[in-house]
Amino acid sequence: MALVPCQVLHAAILLSYCSILCNYKAIDMPAHQTYGGSWKFLTFIDLVIQAVFFGICVLTDLSSLLTRGNDSQEQERQLKKLISLRDWMMAVLAFPVGVFVVTMFWSIYIYDRELVYPKLLDNFIPAWLNHGMHTTVLPFVLIEMRTTHHQYPSRSCGLAAVCTFAVGYILWVCWIHHVTGVWVYPLLEHLSPGVKIIFFAAVTVIINVFYLVGEVLNNYIWDTQK
C-alpha cells in the first residue's frame, strides 16, 4: 500500500484507540478504585500496547516523509531505529497479545460470560466500547500486517520476549491476589491451585503459539520465507 494511505490508516487507528482509552478511563467503575486499577486487566494493558504501537507507526510515517530526498545519514539512522522498534513491537506485543485477548475473551465469554465479563459490567461499559476493547483489535492488527512488512526478530529472541511478558503478567495477577485476596478474573476463583498452574502454563504456551502464527503469517503475506 502507498505511504499516504498507510499514514491515514495508522492515524485513524491511533485516534480510535485514544478514544477507547479515554472513554474507558472515564467510566466510574469500582474495579478502577481497587489495587492495581485498570492496569490489572490484560485488556487495558493491550489497549495501551496497541495505542503505543500505532503511535510509533504514525511517528515512523512522519519521519519517512521528512527524510525522503534527504541525504542526512543521522536522520536515516534514527528512522531505522524507529522501524526496528515498530517491527519489534508488532512481533512481540501488538500481534500476539492482541490476538490472545480477542480469542481468549470471546471463547470464555461464549462458554460462560460470568467467568470473564460479568453481566454487571453492562451497567458500566456500553456494547460499542466492549467491542472496541475486545473485537476491533484483531482486524486492526491484521490490516496492519497486510499493509506493512515487518521484520521479525530471531525466533529464540522473540519467544523469549513473549514468555517474559506472559510470565510477568501472571506474576502480577498472583501478586494482586496476594495483596487483596481477590483474583482479577472470576474464572481463577473456580480453579484449584494445581489447575491454576496448568492454566497459567497453557496461557503462556498459547501466547507463544500466537507469536509463531504472526511470524508465519507475516512471511506468507510478504513472501520472505527462506
Side-chain angles (χ1 to χ4, degrees):
M1 182 176 283
L3 179 60
V4 172
C6 277
Q7 279 186 304
V8 175
L9 179 69
H10 290 153
I13 295 176
L14 174 60
L15 289 175
S16 71
Y17 276 123
C18 290
S19 175
I20 291 169
L21 281 167
C22 289
N23 279 276
Y24 177 75
K25 291 298 291 181
I27 296 174
D28 186 20
M29 283 200 308
H32 289 175
Q33 312 304 324
T34 57
Y35 185 82
S38 302
W39 292 97
K40 57 178 170 284
F41 301 113
L42 185 59
T43 292
F44 179 78
I45 295 174
D46 178 51
L47 287 175
V48 174
I49 288 172
Q50 302 297 331
V52 170
F53 168 69
F54 281 101
I56 293 173
C57 288
V58 170
L59 187 58
T60 302
D61 290 339
L62 292 175
S63 297
S64 296
L65 287 175
L66 292 174
T67 57
R68 180 181 292 179
N70 193 323
D71 295 331
S72 173
Q73 293 184 350
E74 177 62 23
Q75 288 184 347
E76 285 290 338
R77 188 170 65 86
Q78 295 300 325
L79 177 59
K80 288 180 179 179
K81 285 183 178 182
L82 269 178
I83 293 174
S84 296
L85 177 59
R86 179 201 66 187
D87 292 349
W88 185 88
M89 278 204 69
M90 176 65 174
V92 173
L93 295 174
F95 186 89
V97 178
V99 176
F100 177 84
V101 166
V102 173
T103 55
M104 287 295 290
F105 174 83
W106 287 113
S107 296
I108 299 174
Y109 185 98
I110 292 171
Y111 174 74
D112 183 358
R113 67 169 296 176
E114 294 298 320
L115 296 176
V116 65
Y117 192 81
K119 195 171 181 61
L120 175 67
L121 292 179
D122 290 342
N123 298 323
F124 300 95
I125 303 176
W128 73 266
L129 185 56
N130 180 28
H131 285 291
M133 296 188 297
H134 299 115
T135 305
T136 58
V137 173
L138 182 56
F140 282 167
V141 79
L142 290 176
I143 289 171
E144 168 61 17
M145 180 165 283
R146 178 62 184 87
T147 57
T148 306
H149 175 243
H150 298 276
Q151 184 67 44
Y152 267 59
S154 67
R155 183 167 293 180
S156 58
C157 291
L159 291 174
V162 172
C163 282
T164 299
F165 174 85
V167 172
Y169 180 70
I170 289 170
L171 293 176
W172 171 231
V173 169
C174 292
W175 174 255
I176 291 172
H177 177 262
H178 171 73
V179 172
T180 65
V182 178
W183 287 104
V184 173
Y185 303 102
L187 169 66
L188 297 173
E189 300 283 356
H190 303 279
L191 303 180
S192 65
V195 176
K196 281 188 182 73
I197 294 174
I198 296 174
F199 176 77
F200 288 143
V203 163
T204 303
V205 170
I206 291 171
I207 199 169
N208 276 274
V209 169
F210 285 140
Y211 171 85
L212 296 175
V213 169
E215 181 184 50
V216 171
L217 185 60
N218 181 72
N219 289 337
Y220 174 76
I221 291 173
W222 298 97
D223 195 25
T224 58
Q225 284 184 334
K226 296 180 181 178

